[in-house]
Amino acid sequence: MNLNLLDCTLRDGGYYTDWNFSQSLVDEYLLTVSKLPISIVELGYISDAKDINGPFYHLNKKILQKAKNTLRKNQKLFVMINSKEIKNSKQLIDLIYDKKDFIDGIRFAVDPKKVIKLIDLIKPVKKNYPKISFNINLMYMSRWINNIDYFNKIISSIKKDVDVVSLVDSYGALFPEQVKKFLKSINNSMITLGCHFHNNCGMALANTYTAVKEGCKVFDTTFTGMGRGAGNAETELMLAINFTRISNALSGF
């Protein structure tokens, strides 16, 4: 059974390595992921910024092509773009152009206050790349989780222009009961929802599990929880939880 699990180990884990990883580790990671019920691999960033970050912040055609050839045919390859770096639509078009044949999706992490401005940049770009999924990671969830009208207004404004909106608990401050209450309160039929929980309070796994039960279709994890700050929900534990649930269902428990 394939999960809507998005593993972003190298992208998020790159905050600890400046996006430098040995070739042997990358090869082992991709081969391992290709054998697991993981739907999406977010390999890193694409960027034209002039910085000292490693190749997994500046993914090129060669790296993406090799990854695509290693993954299963039914696995999708995603990248992230730092929305703060994008000044205009032409820059975005140029950044994607030579990688378009190997990318299934692009995600942009963005402050809700700046999401409309970002959407205005994305709109003309989508026409150039109709086969690529454009998604938003809506940051700072703990700031707006109690303002349902605010969230619904944002979703209503962008639902025609993005495929998935992932809810990001940027500060790792939320608890499962808050996540459950929020997801039960919103109109989640407007758009496909995902989630990305941080582990500052040790709740990333519990929050992810709760969000999945309450309707989130895509959920982010990393191996060993490796990621920025306190890290994320663990890929291996979410896989184990799902396997246990399926096994119990089949056995009648």
Side-chain angles (χ1 to χ4, degrees):
M1 182 177 182
N2 212 32
L3 302 174
N4 293 309
L5 187 158
L6 185 154
D7 183 86
C8 51
T9 300
L10 299 187
R11 197 275 302 169
D12 215 342
Y15 283 97
Y16 287 104
T17 67
D18 293 328
W19 293 276
N20 290 292
F21 298 97
S22 70
Q23 189 59 55
S24 60
L25 185 147
V26 173
D27 290 345
E28 184 175 359
Y29 166 78
L30 289 171
L31 184 61
T32 300
V33 167
S34 72
K35 298 177 180 179
L36 294 171
I38 290 172
S39 301
I40 304 167
V41 175
E42 187 175 73
L43 198 62
Y45 286 90
I46 57 174
S47 171
D48 58 7
K50 307 301 180 183
D51 55 44
I52 60 171
N53 290 326
F56 284 81
Y57 194 88
H58 299 275
L59 289 168
N60 58 35
K61 176 181 176 180
K62 182 179 179 180
I63 296 174
L64 291 167
Q65 183 176 21
K66 184 172 182 179
K68 193 69 174 171
N69 289 339
T70 304
L71 296 175
R72 297 192 312 274
K73 296 298 183 183
N74 65 340
Q75 285 179 310
K76 295 180 179 180
L77 185 62
F78 274 36
V79 297
M80 182 170 275
I81 292 177
N82 186 341
S83 60
K84 295 178 181 178
E85 296 177 0
I86 304 302
K87 307 304 179 185
N88 53 63
S89 297
K90 183 181 183 303
Q91 180 191 5
L92 186 54
I93 290 171
D94 292 343
L95 185 59
I96 299 169
Y97 180 75
D98 67 333
K99 309 167 188 72
K100 63 182 183 297
D101 294 331
F102 311 106
I103 296 173
D104 297 298
I106 299 172
R107 301 205 297 174
F108 301 82
V110 61
D111 186 324
K113 295 178 181 178
K114 300 178 180 179
V115 70
I116 302 302
K117 181 178 179 180
L118 176 63
I119 293 299
D120 288 339
L121 294 179
I122 291 175
K123 283 181 181 179
V125 178
K126 286 190 68 178
K127 297 176 183 178
N128 289 58
Y129 306 112
K131 295 182 180 180
I132 296 177
S133 175
F134 285 78
N135 305 319
I136 295 292
N137 280 23
L138 205 60
M139 299 169 65
Y140 311 127
M141 186 180 179
S142 57
R143 290 182 181 177
W144 44 262
I145 191 171
N146 294 318
N147 194 338
I148 305 301
D149 291 339
Y150 176 70
F151 174 79
N152 284 336
K153 183 178 180 180
I154 291 175
I155 298 302
S156 295
S157 300
I158 68 176
K159 63 182 180 180
K160 294 180 181 179
D161 302 300
V162 296
D163 300 296
V164 179
V165 172
S166 285
L167 314 172
V168 182
D169 181 17
S170 303
Y171 303 119
L174 298 175
F175 289 84
E177 56 267 28
Q178 293 174 284
V179 175
K180 182 177 181 178
K181 181 180 178 181
F182 173 78
L183 289 171
K184 284 186 174 298
S185 300
I186 64 173
N187 180 6
N188 59 15
S189 65
M190 288 195 295
I191 197 168
T192 300
L193 291 177
C195 60
H196 181 105
F197 289 100
H198 290 173
N199 207 34
N200 301 61
C201 294
M203 291 292 164
L205 185 66
N207 284 334
T208 301
Y209 181 67
T210 299
V212 171
K213 287 204 302 180
E214 297 302 328
C216 280
K217 304 300 184 184
V218 181
F219 50 102
D220 294 10
T221 61
T222 61
F223 282 99
T224 71
M226 182 178 181
R228 189 177 188 176
N232 310 292
E234 298 90 344
T235 297
E236 63 275 15
L237 295 182
M238 278 304 294
L239 288 172
I241 288 170
N242 188 73
F243 177 80
T244 301
R245 289 179 65 199
I246 294 171
S247 297
N248 287 344
L250 291 175
S251 63
F253 284 102

